[in-house]
Amino acid sequence: MLRSVSRFAALLRAFGRVFGNRNVRNIQLAGAGDVLGTYAYGVALPVYAYHAGGARAVGLLFLARFVFAALASPWLGVLADRWSRRRLMLGADLLRCGIFAAMTAVAATGGSAYAVYALAISSTIISAAYPPARAALIPSLVESPEELTSANLVGNSIASVGMFVGFALGGVLLAVSTPAVVFAVNGATFLVSIAFLLRVPADSPPERVAHPRFLPELTTGFATVVRWPALRTVVGLSAAQAMVEGALMVLVVVLALQVLHSGNAAVGWLNAGMGVGSIVGVGAVAVLASRRRLAGGFALGILLWGFPLAIAAATTTLAPAIILLGLVGMGVMLVETNGMTLLQRSADNEVLGRVFAVLQGLIFASMAVGAGIAPALVTWLGPRGALLAAGLFLPVLLVPTWPA
């Protein structure tokens, strides 16, 4: 007991060091600006697509976004290990500002939905450059493994608050305005991210012990993941979780509009429930980290991505569905924080960007599969059956894949 208290106190001290580290703090605040609008946009885009073409349009749009992002991720991971990671993040933010200005103009003037879809796909591809660069940059800014865990926890805590506020903001804005307004808000938040990134000193590209040709360099991340069993487990289960996440992006709209019959704003409230749950999940991550149980926390997160979603199939009113998605939100925090820290501690800095690019590429590909099959699940099994099937997938998969 005393040992756990002392470890938890040490973790809190590491939290203090993270907030006292100006560079890490600015990276985290840049992420806050990025996350806030992105989650509001995550409510508006599927609603826009649903009203333009139904659940099929939502599924196909997310399928296309994630397929192209998955294909681009390995190439962008090479850039994260060749270029300044800060500069890559700044470039991604600048390009997305322009894209969302164009998306706002098209949606506000009643332009073609296909133009909005094309811009959304372009934004997702460019966004794929940001997380690997950020995840690979943070270890060079901290001073200890405990501070690295805390930096990831702080980052995911900020993301959780941004998820809650962003989803709620998206729901409120949709209730009183149009998706075009939400698109404009998202574009503006990238300017906030740029302002904080400019306060971080320029970094140098990682030193390379060898200079291989581009194709072997491109596949190094895959080879690293395949070679290490721990990396294979974390990356594989994260990809499976992403498949359920992709399906949920479609199913949450179906849950709100077809199962609960609660209107467009309910999409925002259900997603906001996930945001609140992820904030609560910060405490669970802190306790598990104080006991150095990163792997156990990761597995618990995988389970929380499954069972509550299966139970949501039986709900008939909005409130219990929000609570259940809150439990899923706890799983989000556990999976992302523990998974990221396990990868950062296991891979060398020289290939870290490419390892995270492999993870992100597989996540995008899995989300594409999930988003693509979700409408078919709704057709075959009905809305409630689709939710049940999606919820049972991860618990069933965890048993044979988790190391003994």
Side-chain angles (χ1 to χ4, degrees):
M1 180 66 178
L2 291 176
R3 182 176 297 179
S4 295
V5 170
S6 64
R7 287 176 178 172
F8 188 66
L11 185 65
L12 291 178
R13 289 194 295 272
F15 262 86
R17 288 195 297 270
V18 168
F19 283 109
N21 185 325
R22 186 174 67 89
N23 293 333
V24 175
R25 183 174 67 248
N26 285 324
I27 289 289
Q28 307 291 23
L29 292 174
D34 182 70
V35 163
L36 179 65
T38 298
Y39 280 113
Y41 163 69
V43 176
L45 182 63
V47 169
Y48 176 91
Y50 186 86
H51 288 294
R56 182 173 180 272
V58 178
L60 290 176
L61 173 60
F62 279 90
L63 174 65
R65 290 173 68 206
F66 298 145
V67 164
F68 282 107
L71 293 174
S73 286
W75 304 85
L76 296 172
V78 173
L79 297 182
D81 284 335
R82 280 188 169 186
W83 292 0
S84 160
R85 289 157 177 171
R86 168 183 171 272
R87 185 176 300 173
L88 188 59
M89 295 162 69
L90 283 168
D93 279 342
L94 284 170
L95 288 172
R96 288 184 290 181
C97 281
I99 287 174
F100 278 96
M103 189 183 298
T104 300
V106 173
T109 57
S112 170
Y114 292 106
V116 172
Y117 298 161
L119 290 166
I121 292 168
S122 299
S123 172
T124 304
I125 293 171
I126 293 168
S127 295
Y130 195 99
R134 179 182 178 277
L137 179 60
I138 287 176
S140 67
L141 303 177
V142 300
E143 298 177 357
S144 69
E146 291 77 16
E147 190 176 349
L148 177 60
T149 302
S150 296
N152 291 330
L153 183 55
V154 169
N156 282 309
S157 301
I158 291 173
S160 297
V161 174
M163 179 191 297
F164 167 65
V165 176
F167 281 147
L169 177 63
V172 170
L173 288 176
L174 284 177
V176 300
S177 63
T178 65
V181 173
V182 186
F183 298 161
V185 169
N186 189 30
T189 59
F190 293 122
L191 296 175
V192 176
S193 176
I194 289 170
F196 283 108
L197 284 175
L198 289 173
R199 299 181 181 182
V200 178
D203 63 306
S204 300
E207 294 184 5
R208 291 184 290 167
V209 297
H211 298 271
R213 294 182 179 179
F214 190 78
L215 184 58
E217 191 168 9
L218 181 67
T219 60
T220 296
F222 290 98
T224 302
V225 170
V226 170
R227 187 164 59 248
W228 295 99
L231 294 181
R232 287 201 306 270
T233 300
V234 172
V235 170
L237 286 172
S238 295
Q241 172 261 313
M243 185 183 301
V244 176
E245 183 177 359
L248 184 58
M249 289 181 176
V250 179
L251 294 177
V252 72
V253 180
V254 174
L255 176 62
L257 301 183
Q258 293 187 23
V259 176
L260 303 176
H261 306 287
S262 298
N264 291 343
V267 179
W269 300 127
L270 289 167
N271 283 305
M274 289 183 62
V276 172
S278 64
I279 294 171
V280 175
V282 172
V285 172
V287 170
L288 291 169
S290 70
R291 299 176 181 177
R292 300 181 183 179
R293 293 180 179 176
L294 295 176
F298 180 81
L300 177 60
I302 292 292
L303 292 175
L304 286 174
W305 257 101
F307 287 128
L309 188 57
I311 298 170
T315 58
T316 57
T317 57
L318 183 59
I322 292 175
I323 293 171
L324 287 166
L325 286 186
L327 293 174
V328 175
M330 290 182 64
V332 171
M333 176 60 68
L334 288 163
V335 170
E336 291 186 358
T337 302
N338 291 299
M340 178 182 293
T341 305
L342 287 167
L343 292 181
Q344 287 169 329
R345 291 187 181 185
S346 301
D348 294 332
N349 180 59
E350 184 189 356
V351 298
L352 195 54
R354 280 166 286 179
V355 167
F356 275 101
V358 169
L359 173 63
Q360 181 163 267
L362 289 174
I363 285 174
F364 277 129
S366 299
M367 291 174 74
V369 172
I373 66 175
L377 287 176
V378 173
T379 300
W380 297 336
L381 304 176
R384 296 186 187 276
L387 287 164
L388 180 62
L392 293 178
F393 173 68
L394 286 174
V396 170
L397 182 65
L398 180 64
V399 175
T401 57
W402 195 252

